[in-house]
Each structure stands twice: as structure tokens, then as C-alpha cells.
Amino acid sequence: MIKGIFPVEKFKQLDTPFYYYDIELLRATLQAIKKETENKRFHVHYAVKANANPRILKEIAAFGFGADCVSGNEILAAMESGFTPDKIVFAGVGKSDREIEIGLDNDIFCFNVESIPELEVLNTLASAKGKTARVAFRINPNVDAHTHKYITTGLTENKFGINEQDLPRILEVMKDSSNLQLTGIHFHIGSQITDLKSFEDLCVRVKELQEWFNTQGIKLPVINVGGGLGINYQHPNHIPMADFESYFRLFEKNLQLQPNQELHFELGRAVVAPCGSLISRVLFVKEGIQKKFLIVDAGMTDLIRPALYQAFHHIENISSEKGPALYDVVGPICESSDVFAEQIMLDESARGDLIAIRSAGAYGEVMASRYNCRNLPLSYFSDQL
Ligand SMILES: *Cc1c(COP(=O)(O)O)cnc(C)c1O
């Protein structure tokens, strides 16, 4: 089994569990995205919710990318780490007045609006401040992302987005809203999408909607196709990065931009998932009747994805090379769902061995909780160890 390269001797001196971020891989990923988008009318906003660790945010901001935020505090965190407000977009079905005001006070690039009442409140709050808010309509394209149901967002009767039949009413509301300015339309169909065909379906819908807006005499300066590009969780050592080339070329081929129109993207997972690993120690090897349990000191409070949506993470024993054995890898939390993997092959493991749970840079540390009064996991960076 090919293993990831980790500074294991240094890890042995550290308390576990912790997140370890490979900064070189993060930079290589950012460079790959930059290569596919520079010199085009393509703009990338990093989805902060995937990982809001300040060091990670700073690395991404330093490449000149924008930020996609889903709360007022994410806007503040993004700005603190160097993202400029003119590249910040703000999505979310339930923006509070305070959060909208954070966006208005900082003159963010765009509010991605998800309902008529939100549009009305935004106009009222903007008018009270004598400001004009730029808005994009988040439209529900009814495209199936073919991913886990908890991370599918683009189907009708999903809480996200505006349905197409409401668009005429939305335009009426816009006419009465002197403090709003339409910048474009926004979509986000789901997450961990590995079948690029879903994005082709999205492009078809974007074209249809754009034509409808044109018949209303409305030009859209911005088309925002959201995020969702998946990564390969099975083979982090062979396929360390998403296929950005195919992804961006798909949009180039399937969406002809109108003059001066910009295409915006909101990638989260594909940017940060590969560079992060959750490092944990084996506490006990427990012999069951049919199975062997590897009880490790990381749990669902550190990485909830397997418990929350049966997500797969590749796991390696990084301190042993004793040849393979079959294990269930489980955490210490008092929940039966606190399982990282069932019946997987690992190098034969013993108390004290170090385990790497790979591709955990997205929706990992950021979702950590203090359930069971546990400490939050620490984080270390490859260039600091
Ligand atoms: C979560 C989210 C994203 C990022 O999704 P990924 O699958 O991590 O790329 C982008 N846009 C919006 C509106 C989101 O909610």
C-alpha cells in the first residue's frame, strides 16, 4: 500500500488527535485552479464553510481568490484573513438582520438571495443605511447532483433557492426596490459531485434561464454556478487533486458568455479536502467475536462526516509496516455511529500507533464539536513542523 508522506517522528511528540495540513499540496491545488481560471472571465470564491482555519484562509486569500460566505461571522473571518469585501458573496436561506448589516456595512460584492421575503428585508435594511445592495437570485435549477441526499441542494422542494415559477414575482419586487441592484443569477446544486454530467445539466438550465431574462430585457453581468466539485476519497496518494482542467473546460465549452459577462465559481471541498489529515493514536485494539476494533482517540467530534453521511475516508497506519490486518476503526464517543470505517485493511496495529484519516481538510475541523466535553482538535501545518 502506498502511504502518504508524514513527519511521523515529529508527530510522535505531539498530543493527538490533531489536524495536519499539507501546505505544499494546498498551494499546488490553488495554483492548479489559478492556471485554469486566469486570463478568462472566470472568478473563484472559496466556500469558507469548508474550512475556516485562519491559516488556510490566509493561504487562499493570498492567491487572490474571493470568498463565498454563509454567515455574517464568515464574512468577518474572511476579511480578517485578507479577503477583500469586493470579492465576497453571501449566500444562505436564513440571513439575520445583523448578518445582512455586516454585508451592507462592508459593501460586499453580492448577496445571493434565496427568497422574496429576504429580498424585501434586504431592500429595507439597505435603504435605512442609504446603500445599494447588489443581489443575485439563487435559482433552484432542479438538477440532480447524483450525490448523497444530505448534500443535494438543487432539487425542487429543497429549502434552498428560488423556484423558477417565482421569478416574475421577484422581478416585480425588484422594480419596487430602489436600494437593490441585480448583478446576476446564482446556482449551487450539491456537493461531492464526481459525475461531471450534472454540471453539463446545470449549464443547459443556465442557458434557458438566461434566455428568459433576456426576453424580459434584463442583462446579467454575473453567472455564478456555485461549487460542488468532488474529490477522490478512495485514492488520496494516487489522485491528490480534483480534475480542475476538465471541470473548468466543461463550463468553457457549455456556457458561451455574453459580452462582458463573468462566470463565478464557489469551490470549497475541492480546494481544501485533500490537504488535510486527521492524525490520531490507537488507544486499544479490542478483539470482538468476529471482528477486531481499533479504538482510536479521534472521534466524530473531530470529524463527523462518516457518522453524518456515511462518508468514506482512506485510513492509514503511518507508524507501522507489519503487514495487513482487518479492522473496524472506531472513536471513543458514546454514539454507535462513531465509526470511521468498517472492515478495512490496515497495517497490523498496536496501542500507541499513529493513524492518518485522509482527505479530511473539508468539513472536518470546521465541524468539530465539544460533545462529551471533548477538547477541540488542534491544527498543525507542514511548513511549521
Ligand atoms: C457549500 C457551498 C459551496 C461549496 O460547496 P463544495 O461542495 O464544498 O464545493 C458553494 N456554494 C454554496 C452556496 C454553498 O452552500
Side-chain angles (χ1 to χ4, degrees), residues 240-360:
M241 220 184 271
D243 184 357
F244 295 111
E245 185 176 332
S246 302
Y247 173 75
F248 287 110
R249 298 268 154 98
L250 182 153
F251 287 97
E252 199 169 9
K253 191 166 138 257
N254 288 278
L255 272 187
Q256 270 75 45
L257 294 179
Q258 297 179 342
N260 299 321
Q261 197 172 45
E262 294 177 353
L263 188 57
H264 289 228
F265 300 86
E266 302 171 335
L267 295 175
R269 184 191 311 271
V271 181
V272 291
C275 75
S277 296
L278 176 60
I279 308 298
S280 175
R281 266 194 183 82
V282 175
L283 292 173
F284 308 108
V285 182
K286 178 171 165 177
E287 303 275 348
I289 295 163
Q290 312 261 0
K291 295 174 156 187
K292 266 193 280 206
F293 293 96
L294 210 60
I295 303 174
V296 299
D297 63 3
M300 63 190 284
T301 53
D302 307 297
L303 176 64
I304 201 176
R305 299 188 66 255
L308 189 60
Y309 13 69
Q310 294 105 41
F312 173 89
H313 286 268
H314 178 73
I315 301 178
E316 293 166 0
N317 181 325
I318 56 174
S319 60
S320 157
E321 286 187 39
K322 294 202 202 93
L326 205 54
Y327 295 103
D328 279 17
V329 181
V330 304
I333 312 298
C334 303
E335 297 286 339
S336 304
S337 60
D338 186 29
V339 174
F340 288 118
E342 283 178 296
Q343 296 298 287
I344 59 155
M345 290 297 228
L346 280 183
D347 273 301
E348 200 181 328
S349 304
R351 175 172 169 81
D353 281 356
L354 288 166
I355 301 292
I357 304 177
R358 305 290 305 277
S359 318

Side-chain angles (χ1 to χ4, degrees), residues 87-274:
K87 290 185 184 170
I88 292 180
V89 296
F90 182 16
V93 287
K95 302 178 185 79
S96 71
D97 290 15
R98 173 188 163 266
E99 292 178 311
I100 290 173
E101 283 171 347
I102 290 173
L104 289 170
D105 290 341
N106 291 290
D107 295 312
I108 60 167
F109 175 68
C110 189
F111 291 82
N112 292 334
V113 171
E114 309 217 10
S115 67
I116 291 173
E118 181 191 338
L119 205 58
E120 291 166 342
V121 168
L122 182 56
N123 184 56
T124 306
L125 295 177
S127 129
K129 289 183 183 287
K131 297 222 176 197
T132 301
R134 284 169 295 275
V135 300
F137 304 143
R138 175 170 179 175
I139 301 173
N140 201 329
N142 203 19
V143 168
D144 192 344
H146 301 288
T147 184
H148 192 278
K149 70 172 192 285
Y150 287 180
I151 49 177
T152 297
T153 54
L155 291 172
T156 353
E157 293 310 334
N158 197 293
K159 74 172 176 178
F160 299 102
I162 294 163
N163 289 324
E164 197 181 339
Q165 54 271 32
D166 289 335
L167 287 177
R169 257 183 70 219
I170 290 255
L171 292 186
E172 288 302 312
V173 174
M174 283 302 283
K175 279 194 195 121
D176 297 333
S177 304
S178 50
N179 294 77
L180 301 181
Q181 182 197 338
L182 182 63
T183 69
I185 50 178
H186 171 239
F187 306 86
H188 176 65
I189 57 172
S191 199
Q192 183 52 17
I193 298 167
T194 49
D195 179 0
L196 293 184
K197 175 76 172 55
S198 299
F199 293 117
E200 281 179 31
D201 296 346
L202 173 62
C203 288
V204 171
R205 295 290 293 124
V206 172
K207 273 188 281 190
E208 289 168 0
L209 284 156
Q210 165 142 298
E211 274 158 29
W212 182 83
F213 277 93
N214 285 343
T215 64
Q216 304 296 306
I218 295 170
K219 289 232 174 313
L220 302 167
V222 173
I223 304 285
N224 183 334
V225 291
L229 177 62
I231 64 144
N232 186 309
Y233 280 95
Q234 323 291 326
H235 303 291
N237 298 317
H238 294 97
I239 310 173
M241 220 184 271
D243 184 357
F244 295 111
E245 185 176 332
S246 302
Y247 173 75
F248 287 110
R249 298 268 154 98
L250 182 153
F251 287 97
E252 199 169 9
K253 191 166 138 257
N254 288 278
L255 272 187
Q256 270 75 45
L257 294 179
Q258 297 179 342
N260 299 321
Q261 197 172 45
E262 294 177 353
L263 188 57
H264 289 228
F265 300 86
E266 302 171 335
L267 295 175
R269 184 191 311 271
V271 181
V272 291

